[in-house]
Amino acid sequence: MARYTNEHKQETRRRIVATAGRRLKRDGIDGSGVATLMKDAGLTNGAFYAHFDSKDDLVAEAVGDQLNTLHASIVALAEPGLAGLEQIIRWYLSPQHRDDPADGCPNAALLDEIGRGADAIRQAYTDGVLVVIDGLAARMAPEDPPSARVKALSLLGLMAGTLQLARALTDRQLSDQLLEQGLRNALALVDAELRP
């Protein structure tokens, strides 16, 4: 029987983690079984244990990976300063983000389950969200980002909560209005905190 190279095994693991992250955000942690997660990656259940000790191990890695992806694809690419912060807020509270949880932020999609999750999942979340928060804080207080960390965390909480509510509403018009109001609230918070 031929053995796979370490490179192949690492690439397979990355594929499992990436596809699991999308599925978890779409169906939730409890709504995504190992069989479904592995099927999404094009693998069998048996292959799971060659890469992970448990579903919690996969979830922890997927949550961290999704937060790193959010940072790399949205936060890190935004302009510096307040202009970049506004770009991030406008993306986060957009109808497109609301309508595509699989490609969106894991905060609004998974926070309730992460909060009830195993310590390893919560730690992976904490580590990953701090990277995102530090990107927001660097735009809030470029001269001293650590001083803005709690403000950035609060801003993320406001945005994630607004997005969760907007996703839960069946009335599309009301959901759109909520996103608009959340956008105004977030921009007003930033404006009140940061402008002289």
Side-chain angles (χ1 to χ4, degrees), residues 75-134:
V75 177
L77 298 179
E79 294 177 34
L82 293 178
L85 196 56
E86 184 172 335
Q87 283 177 314
I88 295 164
I89 293 168
R90 288 187 179 283
W91 168 79
Y92 203 101
L93 295 173
S94 68
Q96 295 79 17
H97 188 205
R98 175 200 55 208
D99 297 341
D100 190 12
D103 283 327
C105 176
N107 288 292
L110 297 171
L111 267 181
D112 60 332
E113 290 183 277
I114 291 169
R116 293 187 306 270
D119 288 346
I121 295 169
R122 290 177 36 243
Q123 188 61 57
Y125 173 77
T126 299
D127 295 342
V129 82
L130 289 177
V131 172
V132 173
I133 292 306
D134 287 344

Side-chain angles (χ1 to χ4, degrees), residues 46-70:
F48 176 83
Y49 293 101
H51 297 279
F52 303 96
D53 291 332
S54 68
K55 180 181 172 187
D56 282 352
D57 289 344
L58 171 56
V59 170
E61 191 165 333
V63 165
D65 179 68
Q66 289 297 308
L67 286 162
N68 287 333
T69 298
L70 171 67

Side-chain angles (χ1 to χ4, degrees), residues 108-183:
L110 297 171
L111 267 181
D112 60 332
E113 290 183 277
I114 291 169
R116 293 187 306 270
D119 288 346
I121 295 169
R122 290 177 36 243
Q123 188 61 57
Y125 173 77
T126 299
D127 295 342
V129 82
L130 289 177
V131 172
V132 173
I133 292 306
D134 287 344
L136 298 177
R139 286 166 179 79
M140 295 175 115
E143 67 292 339
D144 185 16
S147 72
R149 203 178 219 193
V150 173
K151 289 177 187 172
L153 194 54
S154 178
L155 175 63
L156 182 61
L158 182 149
M159 293 189 304
T162 299
L163 190 61
Q164 284 177 317
L165 285 170
R167 285 178 176 167
L169 294 172
T170 58
D171 182 328
R172 178 70 172 215
Q173 182 178 3
L174 183 58
S175 179
D176 287 343
Q177 291 171 340
L178 176 60
L179 287 176
E180 278 296 319
Q181 185 61 55
L183 178 62

Side-chain angles (χ1 to χ4, degrees), residues 5 25 29 34 60 73 87 95 98 104 129 135 165 176 191:
T5 65
K25 290 186 298 184
I29 295 169
V34 169
S73 63
Q87 283 177 314
R98 175 200 55 208
V129 82
L165 285 170
D176 287 343
D191 196 50

Side-chain angles (χ1 to χ4, degrees), residues 38 43-50:
M38 294 305 286
L43 299 165
T44 65
N45 287 1
F48 176 83
Y49 293 101

